[in-house]
Short mmCIF file of all heavy atoms in Angstrom, two decimals:
data_model
loop_
_atom_site.label_atom_id
_atom_site.label_comp_id
_atom_site.label_asym_id
_atom_site.label_seq_id
_atom_site.Cartn_x
_atom_site.Cartn_y
_atom_site.Cartn_z
N PRO A 17 113.24 96.23 107.52
CA PRO A 17 113.21 97.04 106.29
C PRO A 17 113.27 98.54 106.53
O PRO A 17 113.52 99.30 105.60
CB PRO A 17 111.89 96.64 105.63
CG PRO A 17 111.06 96.07 106.73
CD PRO A 17 112.01 95.43 107.68
N ALA A 18 113.08 98.96 107.77
CA ALA A 18 113.12 100.40 108.08
C ALA A 18 114.52 100.86 108.43
O ALA A 18 114.69 101.95 108.99
CB ALA A 18 112.16 100.72 109.21
N TYR A 19 115.54 100.07 108.09
CA TYR A 19 116.91 100.43 108.43
C TYR A 19 117.80 100.30 107.20
O TYR A 19 117.85 99.26 106.55
CB TYR A 19 117.45 99.52 109.55
CG TYR A 19 118.52 100.17 110.38
CD1 TYR A 19 118.22 101.22 111.24
CD2 TYR A 19 119.84 99.73 110.34
CE1 TYR A 19 119.20 101.82 112.03
CE2 TYR A 19 120.82 100.31 111.13
CZ TYR A 19 120.49 101.36 111.97
OH TYR A 19 121.46 101.95 112.75
N GLY A 20 118.52 101.42 106.90
CA GLY A 20 119.47 101.41 105.81
C GLY A 20 120.87 101.18 106.35
O GLY A 20 121.08 100.28 107.16
N TYR A 21 121.81 102.00 105.93
CA TYR A 21 123.14 101.98 106.54
C TYR A 21 123.13 103.02 107.66
O TYR A 21 123.43 104.20 107.46
CB TYR A 21 124.23 102.34 105.53
CG TYR A 21 124.50 101.32 104.45
CD1 TYR A 21 125.30 101.65 103.36
CD2 TYR A 21 123.98 100.03 104.50
CE1 TYR A 21 125.57 100.73 102.36
CE2 TYR A 21 124.23 99.11 103.50
CZ TYR A 21 125.03 99.46 102.43
OH TYR A 21 125.29 98.55 101.44
N LEU A 22 122.72 102.61 108.86
CA LEU A 22 122.67 103.47 110.05
C LEU A 22 121.69 104.63 109.92
O LEU A 22 121.69 105.54 110.76
CB LEU A 22 124.08 103.98 110.42
CG LEU A 22 125.15 102.90 110.60
CD1 LEU A 22 126.52 103.54 110.87
CD2 LEU A 22 124.78 101.96 111.74
N TRP A 23 120.86 104.63 108.91
CA TRP A 23 119.76 105.59 108.74
C TRP A 23 118.44 104.86 108.96
O TRP A 23 118.26 103.71 108.52
CB TRP A 23 119.74 106.19 107.33
CG TRP A 23 120.72 107.29 107.09
CD1 TRP A 23 122.01 107.16 106.65
CD2 TRP A 23 120.50 108.70 107.24
NE1 TRP A 23 122.60 108.40 106.52
CE2 TRP A 23 121.70 109.36 106.88
CE3 TRP A 23 119.40 109.47 107.66
CZ2 TRP A 23 121.83 110.75 106.92
CZ3 TRP A 23 119.53 110.85 107.69
CH2 TRP A 23 120.73 111.48 107.33
N TRP A 24 117.48 105.53 109.61
CA TRP A 24 116.13 105.01 109.76
C TRP A 24 115.28 105.48 108.58
O TRP A 24 115.41 106.62 108.13
CB TRP A 24 115.51 105.46 111.08
CG TRP A 24 116.09 104.78 112.28
CD1 TRP A 24 117.10 105.23 113.08
CD2 TRP A 24 115.71 103.50 112.79
NE1 TRP A 24 117.38 104.31 114.07
CE2 TRP A 24 116.55 103.24 113.92
CE3 TRP A 24 114.76 102.54 112.42
CZ2 TRP A 24 116.43 102.07 114.67
CZ3 TRP A 24 114.66 101.37 113.17
CH2 TRP A 24 115.48 101.14 114.27
N LEU A 25 114.39 104.59 108.11
CA LEU A 25 113.62 104.85 106.90
C LEU A 25 112.13 104.77 107.19
O LEU A 25 111.64 103.76 107.72
CB LEU A 25 113.97 103.82 105.82
CG LEU A 25 115.46 103.46 105.64
CD1 LEU A 25 115.60 102.34 104.62
CD2 LEU A 25 116.26 104.69 105.22
N ASN A 26 111.40 105.79 106.82
CA ASN A 26 109.95 105.77 106.97
C ASN A 26 109.34 105.06 105.76
O ASN A 26 110.01 104.73 104.79
CB ASN A 26 109.42 107.20 107.08
CG ASN A 26 108.05 107.25 107.72
OD1 ASN A 26 107.72 106.44 108.59
ND2 ASN A 26 107.22 108.21 107.32
N GLY A 27 108.03 104.83 105.82
CA GLY A 27 107.31 104.33 104.65
C GLY A 27 107.42 102.84 104.41
O GLY A 27 106.97 102.35 103.37
N GLN A 28 108.01 102.08 105.33
CA GLN A 28 108.10 100.64 105.16
C GLN A 28 106.91 99.95 105.85
O GLN A 28 106.23 100.53 106.67
CB GLN A 28 109.42 100.12 105.74
CG GLN A 28 110.64 100.84 105.20
CD GLN A 28 110.75 100.76 103.69
OE1 GLN A 28 110.59 99.70 103.09
NE2 GLN A 28 111.03 101.89 103.05
N SER A 29 106.69 98.69 105.50
CA SER A 29 105.52 97.99 106.02
C SER A 29 105.66 97.59 107.48
O SER A 29 104.68 97.46 108.21
CB SER A 29 105.24 96.74 105.18
OG SER A 29 106.37 95.87 105.18
N THR A 30 106.91 97.37 107.93
CA THR A 30 107.17 97.01 109.32
C THR A 30 108.50 97.60 109.75
O THR A 30 109.30 98.04 108.92
CB THR A 30 107.24 95.48 109.53
OG1 THR A 30 108.35 94.96 108.79
CG2 THR A 30 105.97 94.79 109.09
N TYR A 31 108.75 97.59 111.05
CA TYR A 31 110.07 97.96 111.55
C TYR A 31 110.30 97.26 112.89
O TYR A 31 109.35 96.85 113.58
CB TYR A 31 110.22 99.48 111.71
CG TYR A 31 109.32 100.12 112.74
CD1 TYR A 31 109.74 100.30 114.06
CD2 TYR A 31 108.05 100.59 112.39
CE1 TYR A 31 108.92 100.89 115.01
CE2 TYR A 31 107.23 101.19 113.33
CZ TYR A 31 107.67 101.34 114.64
OH TYR A 31 106.86 101.93 115.57
N LEU A 32 111.57 97.12 113.23
CA LEU A 32 111.97 96.57 114.53
C LEU A 32 112.41 97.71 115.43
O LEU A 32 113.22 98.54 115.05
CB LEU A 32 113.11 95.56 114.38
CG LEU A 32 112.81 94.23 113.70
CD1 LEU A 32 114.08 93.38 113.65
CD2 LEU A 32 111.71 93.48 114.42
N GLN A 33 111.91 97.70 116.66
CA GLN A 33 112.34 98.68 117.65
C GLN A 33 113.77 98.38 118.10
O GLN A 33 114.15 97.21 118.22
CB GLN A 33 111.42 98.65 118.86
CG GLN A 33 110.12 99.40 118.70
CD GLN A 33 110.29 100.88 118.99
OE1 GLN A 33 111.38 101.37 119.22
NE2 GLN A 33 109.19 101.61 118.96
N PRO A 34 114.57 99.40 118.37
CA PRO A 34 115.87 99.15 118.99
C PRO A 34 115.69 98.46 120.34
O PRO A 34 114.67 98.64 121.01
CB PRO A 34 116.45 100.56 119.17
CG PRO A 34 115.69 101.41 118.23
CD PRO A 34 114.32 100.81 118.11
N ILE A 35 116.67 97.69 120.73
CA ILE A 35 116.75 97.02 122.02
C ILE A 35 115.69 95.91 122.14
O ILE A 35 116.03 94.74 122.30
CB ILE A 35 116.61 97.99 123.21
CG1 ILE A 35 117.44 99.26 122.96
CG2 ILE A 35 117.01 97.30 124.50
CD1 ILE A 35 118.89 99.02 122.68
N LEU A 36 114.41 96.29 122.05
CA LEU A 36 113.35 95.30 122.23
C LEU A 36 113.27 94.32 121.07
O LEU A 36 112.82 93.19 121.24
CB LEU A 36 112.00 96.01 122.38
CG LEU A 36 111.84 96.95 123.57
CD1 LEU A 36 110.48 97.62 123.53
CD2 LEU A 36 112.01 96.18 124.87
N ARG A 37 113.67 94.78 119.88
CA ARG A 37 113.57 93.97 118.66
C ARG A 37 112.14 93.52 118.41
O ARG A 37 111.89 92.46 117.83
CB ARG A 37 114.52 92.76 118.72
CG ARG A 37 115.99 93.10 118.85
CD ARG A 37 116.90 91.89 118.77
NE ARG A 37 116.80 91.26 117.46
CZ ARG A 37 116.18 90.11 117.21
NH1 ARG A 37 115.58 89.46 118.21
NH2 ARG A 37 116.14 89.60 116.01
N GLN A 38 111.20 94.30 118.83
CA GLN A 38 109.78 93.98 118.64
C GLN A 38 109.33 94.48 117.28
O GLN A 38 109.50 95.65 116.94
CB GLN A 38 108.95 94.64 119.74
CG GLN A 38 107.46 94.48 119.58
CD GLN A 38 106.70 95.21 120.68
OE1 GLN A 38 107.26 95.50 121.74
NE2 GLN A 38 105.45 95.52 120.42
N GLU A 39 108.76 93.59 116.46
CA GLU A 39 108.28 93.99 115.15
C GLU A 39 106.97 94.77 115.27
O GLU A 39 106.04 94.33 115.94
CB GLU A 39 108.08 92.78 114.24
CG GLU A 39 107.67 93.17 112.82
CD GLU A 39 107.57 91.98 111.88
OE1 GLU A 39 106.54 91.27 111.96
OE2 GLU A 39 108.50 91.77 111.08
N THR A 40 106.93 95.92 114.65
CA THR A 40 105.75 96.76 114.66
C THR A 40 105.25 96.92 113.24
O THR A 40 106.02 97.21 112.33
CB THR A 40 106.06 98.14 115.26
OG1 THR A 40 106.58 97.96 116.59
CG2 THR A 40 104.82 99.01 115.33
N GLN A 41 103.96 96.74 113.05
CA GLN A 41 103.38 96.89 111.72
C GLN A 41 103.21 98.37 111.36
O GLN A 41 102.90 99.19 112.21
CB GLN A 41 102.00 96.21 111.66
CG GLN A 41 102.04 94.71 111.90
CD GLN A 41 102.82 93.98 110.83
OE1 GLN A 41 102.62 94.20 109.63
NE2 GLN A 41 103.72 93.10 111.25
N GLY A 42 103.44 98.69 110.08
CA GLY A 42 103.26 100.05 109.61
C GLY A 42 104.57 100.82 109.62
O GLY A 42 105.61 100.32 110.07
#
């Protein structure tokens, strides 16, 4: 949810790190 069209978005509940694809809360 922290990714738009090639833009990174703050304020979402989780995000995936590039490469690692590790889900991070917050």
Side-chain angles (χ1 to χ4, degrees):
Y19 207 69
Y21 290 169
L22 306 176
W23 281 89
W24 287 95
L25 317 175
N26 201 33
Q28 306 303 314
S29 58
T30 63
Y31 65 92
L32 291 180
Q33 279 276 5
I35 317 304
L36 299 177
R37 300 186 63 254
Q38 175 182 339
E39 184 175 78
T40 303
Q41 297 297 312

